[in-house]
Amino acid sequence: MFFAFFILSSIYISKVNGWGVTGHALVAKLAQTMLTKESEKFVRNYLPWYTIGNLSMLASWPDIIVSPNTNPIDYLNWLWSRELHYVNVPDWTCNYDRNRDCNWTSRQRCVDGAIQNYTKQLADINQDNIQRQEALKFLVHFIGDIHQPLHAGFVGDKGGNLIRGNFFDKPTNLHALWDQLMIERRILLDFQNDENKYYDYLFNLLQTTYAHNISQWSKCPSDEESHYVACSTVWINENIELNCAYIYRDEDNKPMNISYEFRLGETYYNTRIGILEQRLIQGSVRLSGVINKIVKLQKHEHHRKKNNDYSFVSYVILFVENLINNY
Ligand SMILES: *[C@@H]1O[C@H](CO)[C@@H](O)[C@H](O)[C@H]1NC(C)=O
Ligand SMILES: *[C@@H]1O[C@H](CO)[C@@H](O)[C@H](O)[C@H]1NC(C)=O
Ligand SMILES: *[C@@H]1O[C@H](CO)[C@@H](O)[C@H](O)[C@H]1NC(C)=O
Ligand SMILES: *[C@@H]1O[C@H](CO)[C@@H](O)[C@H](O)[C@H]1NC(C)=O
Ligand SMILES: *[C@@H]1O[C@H](CO)[C@@H](O)[C@H](O)[C@H]1NC(C)=O
Ligand SMILES: [Zn+2]
């Protein structure tokens, strides 16, 4: 029953925030290829049984639950999570400042805090299984979202949603163009509208063009971040740099804004599609990296806990022995 509902949901869902269904599925499917054996086992444990550990099947779940079309029964219960998909920075401020833009330590909600929040929950062996399952489903999606540049866009135009115009003569807004339209065009024109062929192409890029970038992309370059499992501020800053240099600029390199209708086509598409693909691939590297790291940490945690249990037992034995000896 739920299975059927889920499948229907994934077909009908289309206009949502975040990479569209396609983008999220691609990121998750690429990530799946970089999971360790242990991580594979881990995700099979923490995803619903019918997915058989397939990350991409649930990659759009956080979008599905907040929409009345796809979750008419209890979307209201999830509305609080809508803010977790993005973060905004002041207009044309070309960097991210956690204190200024999303102070999630004081409960402000945004994708930065969400990723920190759910990595912590997923890694915490004291959380119950339902909580950790939810954390994993959120993480798969949000690490995708945080690599869509306009999910760290400017506050004045709501991450490009309020900047309207035409893309190949089709009316749209800048945000939707990056969520979906460019990917759709790419798959339609260059891959016979076959998502699987496009996946194969991206997988090949990952293994060739970007093979040398993977280890660098997996690291947290800043000291401040290195104690986190996910370097979300670094990823947000990558977006914002792209936003200022390319995403928010039209074909003549002029800044785009809400009071001016853009006309974008071949030039914008040709010079930006490579950026988009790189972001999909980076997202997958970061997603698999975070899961692998959590699984590794958790193994140590289990060992530590076990050792603690043993030491508690030996402590009790010692204590009893002492008692006996003293009598
Ligand atoms: C996971 O499921 C999707 C369809 O939802 C499919 O395209 C993909 O190939 C599956 N991935 C794996 C690794 O089996
Ligand atoms: C962020 O929240 C913390 C904890 O409530 C507070 O100490 C800090 O001053 C806040 N930072 C800003 C810039 O508001
Ligand atoms: C952390 O996760 C919990 C449980 O889903 C949620 O209620 C809370 O709002 C989240 N906090 C942040 C800062 O995202
Ligand atoms: C990927 O690696 C190449 C070669 O090391 C480097 O020139 C390039 O800047 C890297 N790209 C990114 C986006 O990090
Ligand atoms: C909006 O963008 C157009 C085109 O680049 C520019 O002519 C106009 O001055 C901009 N308006 C504002 C308010 O920045
Ligand atoms: Zn999203």
Side-chain angles (χ1 to χ4, degrees):
M1 169 62 194
F2 174 71
F3 192 33
F5 173 68
F6 170 74
I7 290 178
L8 284 177
S9 310
S10 16
I11 294 168
Y12 287 114
I13 191 169
S14 63
K15 273 219 151 49
V16 286
N17 52 355
W19 296 114
V21 173
T22 310
H24 278 292
L26 287 167
V27 169
K29 194 168 169 181
L30 289 167
Q32 191 108 35
T33 67
M34 291 176 273
L35 294 181
T36 61
K37 281 247 149 52
E38 275 161 341
S39 300
E40 278 282 351
K41 224 162 71 191
F42 178 85
V43 299
R44 228 173 302 139
N45 273 340
Y46 283 103
L47 290 180
W49 61 270
Y50 56 82
T51 64
I52 327 173
N54 182 331
L55 290 179
S56 62
M57 283 178 70
L58 286 176
S60 288
W61 175 78
D63 284 333
I64 291 170
I65 55 173
V66 295
S67 161
N69 297 327
T70 49
N71 186 16
I73 298 157
D74 77 339
Y75 77 98
L76 285 172
N77 291 331
W78 293 101
L79 287 186
W80 61 272
S81 69
R82 281 201 299 197
E83 288 168 284
L84 302 180
H85 295 243
Y86 61 89
V87 65
N88 287 319
V89 299
D91 299 357
W92 292 96
T93 301
C94 299
N95 61 59
Y96 174 64
D97 180 337
R98 195 173 261 171
N99 283 330
R100 180 193 65 206
D101 303 323
C102 179
N103 191 351
W104 47 266
T105 48
S106 60
R107 293 171 177 269
Q108 216 176 329
R109 289 204 183 101
C110 70
V111 70
D112 181 22
I115 287 175
Q116 295 306 329
N117 193 13
Y118 291 118
T119 45
K120 220 195 254 154
Q121 289 183 27
L122 186 60
D124 182 356
I125 58 176
N126 297 316
Q127 292 276 342
D128 65 46
N129 281 5
I130 291 173
Q131 197 55 49
R132 295 178 78 194
Q133 182 180 108
E134 194 176 296
L136 176 59
K137 289 191 290 184
F138 274 132
L139 267 184
V140 172
H141 183 88
F142 294 148
I143 294 181
D145 274 347
I146 204 175
H147 285 83
Q148 205 278 52
L150 288 172
H151 276 243
F154 302 144
V155 67
D157 52 61
K158 295 195 193 296
N161 275 298
L162 300 181
I163 301 185
R164 293 174 220 283
N166 289 282
F167 181 59
F168 289 96
D169 297 324
K170 192 184 164 199
T172 184
N173 68 66
L174 193 61
H175 191 94
L177 198 155
W178 277 86
D179 268 357
Q180 272 176 299
L181 297 187
M182 290 212 292
I183 297 181
E184 278 169 11
R185 182 177 182 85
R186 179 81 160 128
I187 299 178
L188 180 66
L189 293 189
D190 299 325
F191 299 94
Q192 295 90 48
N193 213 15
D194 183 343
E195 201 181 305
N196 291 323
K197 288 203 177 105
Y198 188 45
Y199 166 79
D200 291 340
Y201 168 81
L202 291 175
F203 182 63
N204 186 262
L205 269 188
L206 169 69
Q207 296 202 308
T208 55
T209 311
Y210 292 123
H212 299 295
N213 297 94
I214 292 176
S215 73
Q216 189 215 329
W217 289 348
S218 309
K219 285 192 198 110
C220 271
S222 84
D223 285 346
E224 191 213 338
E225 283 281 293
S226 54
H227 63 281
Y228 292 119
V229 173
C231 335
S232 43
T233 34
V234 174
W235 308 338
I236 290 172
N237 271 311
E238 291 170 350
N239 287 323
I240 298 176
E241 271 175 39
L242 291 171
N243 283 339
C244 286
Y246 306 105
I247 281 80
Y248 273 102
R249 288 182 186 276
D250 69 11
E251 301 190 336
D252 300 319
N253 248 358
K254 289 216 189 77
M256 292 189 268
N257 59 52
I258 59 177
S259 48
Y260 186 81
E261 273 190 25
F262 60 76
R263 297 195 68 81
L264 302 174
E266 209 67 59
T267 304
Y268 188 87
Y269 173 76
N270 286 337
T271 49
R272 271 60 166 181
I273 190 71
I275 296 173
L276 186 152
E277 289 173 347
Q278 186 192 297
R279 290 310 275 165
L280 291 175
I281 291 169
Q282 282 180 304
S284 75
V285 169
R286 269 75 185 255
L287 174 57
S288 56
V290 164
I291 295 175
N292 287 339
K293 242 191 244 176
I294 286 174
V295 172
K296 219 162 126 195
L297 282 175
Q298 190 185 252
K299 218 168 129 192
H300 292 172
E301 191 66 11
H302 274 301
H303 275 297
R304 211 173 50 75
K305 211 177 169 196
K306 235 192 225 154
N307 289 342
N308 281 350
D309 290 347
Y310 284 137
S311 52
F312 179 68
V313 171
S314 20
Y315 174 77
V316 172
I317 292 173
L318 268 180
F319 181 73
V320 173
E321 276 178 353
N322 270 339
L323 275 183
I324 294 170
N325 289 344
N326 288 347
Y327 276 98

